[in-house]
Amino acid sequence: MWRRAGPIRLHLAAIAGRRIRPPPQPPTPQATFSSSASSSSSFHHNLGAFRDSIGARSRSLSNQTGGSGDGECWSCGAKGVFLSCGSCRSVQPVDPAVDYFRIFGLDRGYNIKDNNLEGKYKDWQKKLHPDLVHSKSEKERAFAAEQSALVIDAYRTLSKPLPRALYLLQLEGIHVDEEKTINDQELLMEMMEIRESVSDSSDSQTLEKIQSQMKRKVETWSNSFQEAFDKGDFDRAVEATQRMRYYERAMEETVKKL
Amino acid sequence: MLRTGGSRLVAPGLRRLLGPSGREGAAPGLSAAGVRAYHERVVDHYNNPRNVGSFDKDDPNVGTGLVGAPACGDVMKLQIRVDEGTGKIVDACFKTFGCGSAIASSSVATEWVKGKQMEEVVTIKNTEIAKHLSLPPVKLHCSMLAEDAIKAAVKDYEAKKAKVGDSPAEKVAEA
């Protein structure tokens, strides 16, 4: 899932650039990272360079879109169209500046509870699905294929806490290198014990107990993520995503055995 | 995980890497539909992992390396038993909770470290393990994990020895 982010990261460049931050602020997060070498090695923080490289592009983007992010329909010229035209129903080309939260009409943030993501997802697919435009021009069919895929990615990313957390970090310009070996002995020792007890237990009662423990731990670390992320403490936010990944993994194992 | 992963992840070209063995055709998991599977050595180590188990981590002659890869939520423990006099690794074992590649990588690692000197095993590179198992690029981090586990085990053993060296002095101080 995280890997899918490849093409999205290009969009992100534009998004990050469009976000308006007071110029004096940018150095702050970077200072946070250099102060804690141990955990900063687990991911690359490239916010500074990121912003520099996209500055020019972001300006031209906001000119194009008139600042609102919504464009003009390529087919009928209607203003303020988003993904699909409200007047002529033509599917619009993918706008790289649109982030997943906007697709679902949400403010960018971790806590998106009770927002009927699935319903909104289905509504979009009723407008964007490639099957709906099979008789239209090749151009529009291509738009529909891309938009529809984008909405699927958006739904998959936002509907689960961990991908949503990683996506938010990505929007901040933080790439978590999940392939890097970690040495957090406390976590690893705990995980070794949990995974051993999962593999050793065969009765559903024990497995269910472990499962609910893992669920609670995922929730606890999910809350820690939100807290850390909101404060801009990205080291702790990244740590929280790692914890979530491990406890979720253990939970999956119990599911397999139950 | 092993099979579904293999079918999607192994690039056709990778299998050619194992030329010398000349046994590609015999690889299990190569279905009629032409679905690519992991290299037979991965499957072999996955099905018959060598040296699975645990040593007492408090044993002064045992070094324990515990590492993890957040990408898949893997945990890998690799332990070495060292002959104090010669500094030779006389035994090794592992316990890995992870994908087939992670299990195979750590299994291979235990085989390779046995009978070797500590300074020798810290030079084992993940690329050697990956090549031996013909791991696809997306699974390279599994071999990296094994390399890091060997290093961590040696480091743990050395740290223990350094501590033991200190402790008589501590005892004197306490007395």
Side-chain angles (χ1 to χ4, degrees), chain B residues 43-65:
Chain B
V43 178
D44 178 31
H45 278 279
Y46 180 77
N47 289 330
N48 311 293
R50 328 294 199 262
N51 313 309
V52 173
S54 290
F55 300 144
D56 176 7
K57 69 174 167 51
D58 297 321
D59 184 328
N61 294 320
V62 168
T64 304

Side-chain angles (χ1 to χ4, degrees), chain A residues 27-41 43 232-235:
Chain A
T28 327
Q30 219 140 20
T32 321
F33 292 116
S34 49
S35 67
S36 50
S38 62
S39 51
S40 66
S41 63
F43 60 90
D233 184 349
F234 297 132
D235 281 346

Side-chain angles (χ1 to χ4, degrees), chain A residues 213-232:
Chain A
Q213 280 171 351
M214 292 303 101
K215 207 176 159 203
R216 275 200 301 276
K217 280 184 185 276
V218 171
E219 277 163 20
T220 307
W221 284 94
S222 176
N223 292 336
S224 306
F225 173 83
Q226 177 159 17
E227 212 176 283
F229 185 80
D230 289 348
K231 274 195 281 188

Side-chain angles (χ1 to χ4, degrees), chain B residues 21-44:
Chain B
S21 79
R23 289 177 295 168
E24 299 97 307
L30 200 65
S31 78
V35 177
R36 298 280 175 185
Y38 276 111
H39 185 259
E40 60 185 286
R41 281 183 190 146
V42 177
V43 178
D44 178 31

Side-chain angles (χ1 to χ4, degrees), chain A residues 227-247:
Chain A
E227 212 176 283
F229 185 80
D230 289 348
K231 274 195 281 188
D233 184 349
F234 297 132
D235 281 346
R236 275 198 52 223
V238 169
E239 193 205 334
T241 62
Q242 286 174 350
R243 293 269 176 167
M244 285 161 77
R245 171 80 72 199
Y246 270 98
Y247 297 129

